[in-house]
Amino acid sequence: MITLGHYLLVSALLFTIGFAGVMLRRNIIVILMALELMLNAANLSLVAFSRFQTSAGGQPAYNVQVFVFFIITVAAAEVAVGLAIVVALFRLRRTTHVEDINTLKF
């Protein structure tokens, strides 16, 4: 039987991998992917809490799952904007490494 602790363990593991990716990597695209991994780990924990919290009728509380759906939608927009910025910086500087981009002035 899978319990809430199992979901939270997987969520913590995904968040840790994402955090390590943000802190250790130098490529902007990899950092964006690690940020999305951290966001999905938070979404997994929200859905797990929602699944194991039942409402008055014994059904799972679906309001949090709708909230997660909107978070995923906003994250998709964030990725689109982030990749547009990365493409613009790559066209200007010819690199996607963070240490080579020391200023936001063009």
Side-chain angles (χ1 to χ4, degrees):
M1 176 102 188
I2 297 177
T3 63
L4 178 62
H6 292 103
Y7 285 110
L8 294 179
L9 182 67
V10 170
S11 177
L13 181 66
L14 287 175
F15 192 86
T16 304
I17 292 171
F19 185 73
V22 168
M23 296 311 256
L24 298 176
R25 296 296 178 178
R26 294 185 179 104
N27 192 341
I28 294 176
I29 297 173
V30 175
I31 291 173
L32 283 174
M33 289 188 330
L35 284 171
E36 289 297 318
L37 192 62
M38 290 169 59
L39 186 63
N40 285 328
N43 284 339
L44 177 64
S45 65
L46 280 173
V47 170
F49 280 122
S50 169
R51 172 66 180 93
F52 285 98
Q53 175 190 4
T54 58
S55 62
Q59 296 292 326
Y62 292 116
N63 52 356
V64 175
Q65 294 179 10
V66 172
F67 181 63
V68 166
F69 178 73
F70 286 117
I71 291 173
I72 291 171
T73 305
V74 170
E78 171 210 347
V79 167
V81 171
L83 286 177
I85 292 171
V86 168
V87 168
L89 283 171
F90 182 77
R91 286 182 180 173
L92 183 68
R93 304 277 173 99
R94 296 288 180 207
T95 185
T96 58
H97 291 286
V98 176
E99 67 267 359
D100 295 339
I101 303 170
N102 56 3
T103 181
L104 292 178
K105 291 191 309 186
F106 290 107

